[in-house]
Amino acid sequence: MYNNKLLIKGYIDKDIPDDIDPVAEINRMRKEKNAVILAHYYQEGMIQDMADFVGDSLYLSQQAAKTKADMIVFCGVHFMAETAKLLSPERKVLLPDLNAGCSLADSCKAEDFATFLEKYPDHKVISYINTTAEIKALSYIICTSSNAVKIVESFDKKEKIIFAPDRNLGNYIKSITGRDMVIWDGACHVHEEFSVERMLELKKRYPDAKIIAHPECVKPVLLLADHIGSTSSLLHYTMKDDAKTYIVATESGIIHQMKKERPEKTFLAAPPKDSSCGCNDCRFMKLNTIEKLYNCMKYEMPEVIVKDDLKEKAVLSIRRMLDLSEKMGL
Ligand code: 13P
Ligand code: SF4
């Protein structure tokens, strides 16, 4: 599948010798190679704890844009590492497992999107960061769940807008801003799986629990929520709010940070429709492991590369987001 023999599986599949402590070695290599480790909140706890910076997709893209490190090791999914490469083209950007994609990004293919855009020649395109570089190159500006409402509101009311690719986030923004946007019909496999019925049953057992939800969840779940926000917004809410128990409707990795910040509180993962599916875990995010991180730093592979013809246009839409976010103090 991949042209380098060591990367046949999309990651370096080598056992770590018994006499090697991967954590100590990762720390040694990070210094020796002047590398920075960025980890998303959905990574396994041990990886979050090892990272130089842990955060949501906006925060991590801001870190990628300003780092002075020679190497960025991105513990997240492909579109995040690709965004880091676009923002820091002179640095080596590594992703421990190239198979770490995103079902939401996959739900918006460049060819289909380009055809769709032909129907709306006078619309401005706002795309969520969970997209490929191809989609970013077709977009005017990028947003994340942290800044999406403010970015949409920054457009003149007369401006016609296309929002892609998440239908749930798009409809949520529509309901907050009252803007009539054309929305691409995409979704994420984790956030669409939460069960309203099972969440209500849990709420009966924990009547004082507050429900918190990521805006990628479907509307009936968002209607139950006491607070809706990006991963960092959900985390900060639980840090400041005075409830003792929360039902968390997003990927389970964030609960690691919530417990670290508020060990005295109880965090319950919102139940998915199928209790045996393990759907609270993003199957792509959880492909990264300490072993793959160790091997990726040792062999400096897999590296994330962006096609030359996309670089300029794709980075323009991300830079617009970062500049606007800075102006808005985000
Ligand atoms: P955040 O921007 O909140 O980190 O979310 C990213 C993501 O992939 C949600 O599924
Ligand atoms: Fe993509 Fe969903 Fe995983 Fe987020 S949780 S990275 S949107 S597949």
Side-chain angles (χ1 to χ4, degrees):
M1 179 158 69
Y2 300 100
N3 48 17
N4 188 311
K5 267 194 184 162
L6 272 175
L7 284 179
I8 285 233
K9 295 185 175 169
Y11 60 91
I12 309 254
D13 187 18
K14 277 188 182 283
D15 290 337
I16 303 179
D18 287 343
D19 58 339
I20 286 199
D21 170 2
V23 173
E25 265 305 288
I26 290 167
N27 284 331
R28 191 192 60 73
M29 288 190 280
R30 140 164 61 196
K31 278 198 200 117
E32 183 189 275
K33 299 180 188 236
N34 188 26
V36 65
I37 301 176
L38 307 183
H40 189 265
Y41 286 135
Y42 295 164
Q43 293 294 288
E44 65 173 68
M46 202 168 163
I47 293 183
Q48 293 189 39
D49 292 345
M50 292 217 61
D52 296 283
F53 299 97
V54 189
D56 68 358
S57 25
L58 176 62
Y59 176 75
L60 295 177
S61 64
Q62 289 165 331
Q63 294 307 321
K66 66 182 182 202
T67 185
K68 298 275 183 289
D70 295 318
M71 187 189 281
I72 298 174
V73 187
F74 213 115
C75 297
V77 290
H78 191 273
F79 76 81
M80 296 179 174
E82 189 174 61
T83 302
K85 182 67 184 175
L86 285 162
L87 289 166
S88 278
E90 66 287 6
R91 303 181 208 290
K92 191 176 255 191
V93 177
L94 305 175
L95 179 67
D97 188 337
L98 282 179
N99 302 300
C102 166
S103 57
L104 177 53
D106 284 349
S107 69
C108 189
K109 301 273 183 244
E111 252 183 51
D112 302 338
F113 194 56
T115 310
F116 172 79
L117 294 187
E118 283 169 13
K119 287 193 276 175
Y120 306 98
D122 54 349
H123 283 56
K124 279 259 165 70
V125 181
I126 306 179
S127 289
Y128 195 30
I129 199 163
N130 298 40
T131 45
T132 59
E134 279 90 346
I135 301 294
K136 289 186 173 82
L138 292 169
S139 306
Y140 177 75
I141 191 166
I142 301 306
C143 70
T144 75
S145 48
S146 283
N147 57 22
V149 167
K150 288 199 169 153
I151 289 202
V152 169
E153 280 174 340
S154 74
F155 282 80
D156 191 281
K157 287 213 164 58
K158 282 187 234 126
E159 198 83 66
K160 293 178 180 164
I161 295 173
I162 289 177
F163 186 87
D166 191 76
R167 57 177 174 245
N168 298 316
L169 177 62
N171 283 319
Y172 170 69
I173 299 168
K174 234 172 148 172
S175 73
I176 300 277
T177 61
R179 300 294 295 253
D180 184 23
M181 308 187 293
V182 175
I183 298 173
W184 179 263
D185 194 21
C188 152
H189 74 287
V190 177
H191 290 88
E192 287 232 310
E193 280 309 308
F194 296 115
S195 155
V196 169
E197 289 72 26
R198 297 186 68 218
M199 283 173 72
L200 286 172
E201 278 167 26
L202 199 57
K203 178 89 180 157
K204 259 193 211 155
R205 282 175 34 218
Y206 297 89
D208 297 333
K210 283 197 175 160
I211 295 179
I212 55 175
H214 195 281
E216 285 175 27
C217 295
V218 295
K219 190 173 177 186
V221 169
L222 296 182
L223 287 173
L224 297 179
D226 296 286
H227 179 70
I228 298 167
S230 67
T231 46
S232 54
S233 164
L234 299 183
L235 173 63
H236 293 135
Y237 181 78
T238 60
M239 285 160 66
K240 288 194 200 127
D241 180 63
D242 55 12
K244 294 199 167 38
T245 306
Y246 298 89
I247 298 171
V248 183
T250 190
E251 212 270 357
S252 60
I254 187 70
I255 293 179
H256 177 71
Q257 289 298 326
M258 291 172 172
K259 280 186 180 155
K260 262 175 99 169
E261 293 292 345
R262 286 287 178 268
E264 74 287 5
K265 295 192 176 190
T266 303
F267 300 97
L268 307 164
K273 291 170 200 151
D274 172 359
S275 54
S276 64
C277 71
C279 303
N280 296 56
D281 287 328
C282 170
R283 62 174 179 267
F284 302 107
M285 284 278 181
K286 295 298 194 292
L287 286 176
N288 296 322
T289 60
I290 288 287
E291 289 71 25
K292 287 178 189 166
L293 172 58
Y294 164 85
N295 278 326
C296 135
M297 290 186 75
K298 179 168 170 165
Y299 295 94
E300 301 190 14
M301 280 190 273
E303 193 178 345
V304 173
I305 309 286
V306 184
K307 283 193 214 143
D308 281 338
D309 56 332
L310 288 174
K311 284 178 185 164
E312 226 172 281
K313 281 198 95 178
V315 82
L316 196 65
S317 58
I318 308 170
R319 286 256 170 235
R320 282 197 180 106
M321 168 186 82
L322 292 181
D323 292 347
L324 198 57
S325 298
E326 197 180 332
K327 271 193 210 141
M328 297 186 299
L330 297 170

